[in-house]
Amino acid sequence: MPSELTWLGHGSWSIRTAEHAVLLDPFLDDSPVAPVKAADVDADFILVSHGHFDHMADVEKIARRTGATIVSNFEICQWYGAKGLENTHAMNLGGGFDFPFGRVKLTIAHHTSMLPDGANGGNPAGFVVSLPEGNVYFACDTGLFYDMKLIGACGLALAALPIGDNFTMGPDDALEALKLLHPKRVVPVHTGTWPIIDQDVETWADRVLKETSTEPLVISPGAAISL
Ligand code: NI
Ligand code: MN
């Protein structure tokens, strides 16, 4: 069975490989657009990019129910450890590790990462997840940075880029990002959740088609992509 990626709205993803269920930045119960609730998702691993509520609000309850391993930066793993969630795998920027579902590498992200209680959430990250079918770059919350050129050098089957503006890259910078990353396909995320980050995704997708060699995928929360 090929790996399947389901967008759960905002910056949340469910990744299904032949044998594993991986969640990325689950924000479900309080998300106005999530197609599922935290009680209904499966997970062996949960990747957490940074400490903001709209990326980690449901991590604790899902990890407690499923026993999933939390994969994040050192500070966020420590924070969950102090809550008694000791099944964590701490990493840091630039580091990669071969998990049973594939290799995960933490990439830089220009953003912040304070945890909801004010604790230091370390540095925010993006992820390159190497699945059997190809490499997927989840930029997570970030502004544009020129080092995306290096991230793209590994060859990307898919990129999930924020286009919402205000808190992250907006449509113009996300287009510039594609010119550095050169992924085969792109999904715009971190938009449509709240009015402040609403963008016209169809117009953006048209620009992607005209100005880059990447294929844009405009999908609704709950839709799945086969790699
Ligand atoms: Ni954030
Ligand atoms: Mn966010």
Side-chain angles (χ1 to χ4, degrees):
M1 196 186 86
S3 300
E4 202 173 71
L5 287 79
T6 303
W7 185 42
L8 302 180
H10 200 56
S12 307
W13 288 88
S14 163
I15 304 165
R16 284 257 173 201
T17 65
E19 291 178 5
H20 296 279
V22 182
L23 290 175
L24 189 150
D25 285 356
F27 170 55
L28 306 173
D29 286 352
D30 293 332
S31 165
V33 295
V36 287
K37 291 295 180 191
D40 302 323
V41 290
D42 232 14
D44 303 310
F45 296 88
I46 308 173
L47 277 49
V48 185
S49 67
H50 65 292
H52 292 160
F53 75 98
D54 59 317
H55 295 258
M56 49 69 79
D58 295 316
V59 170
E60 184 175 343
K61 59 188 127 170
I62 297 168
R64 287 201 196 283
R65 178 174 54 80
T66 61
T69 304
I70 297 169
V71 179
S72 191
N73 69 33
F74 181 79
E75 290 79 3
I76 290 175
C77 286
Q78 290 272 98
W79 190 74
Y80 283 115
K83 291 173 175 288
L85 285 163
E86 279 164 14
N87 190 14
T88 62
H89 184 111
M91 303 180 68
N92 217 325
L93 299 177
F97 185 81
D98 293 316
F99 290 94
F101 59 89
R103 184 170 177 81
V104 174
K105 185 174 178 185
L106 263 61
T107 59
I108 59 169
H110 289 313
H111 197 65
T112 54
S113 182
M114 188 170 75
L115 287 154
D117 63 359
N120 174 14
N123 287 312
F127 300 99
V128 174
V129 180
S130 299
L131 298 169
E133 300 87 357
N135 301 317
V136 183
Y137 172 49
F138 298 93
C140 302
D141 284 12
T142 186
L144 176 66
F145 54 91
Y146 196 71
D147 291 18
M148 284 180 176
K149 201 171 171 72
L150 293 171
I151 295 171
C154 69
L156 299 170
L158 181 71
L161 300 184
I163 71 157
D165 218 347
N166 197 75
F167 300 112
T168 67
M169 292 190 285
D172 291 343
D173 280 358
L175 209 65
E176 288 305 311
L178 288 176
K179 295 172 189 173
L180 299 169
L181 291 162
H182 300 293
K184 282 206 184 79
R185 299 190 285 175
V186 66
V187 186
V189 300
H190 217 271
T191 185
T193 323
W194 300 290
I196 195 172
I197 54 171
D198 275 351
Q199 298 295 339
D200 183 343
V201 287
E202 295 291 349
T203 297
W204 187 76
D206 284 344
R207 292 179 64 195
V208 171
L209 275 176
K210 288 197 188 90
E211 297 176 39
T212 77
S213 52
T214 297
E215 178 195 351
L217 301 177
V218 174
I219 59 174
S220 301
I225 298 163
S226 288
L227 269 194

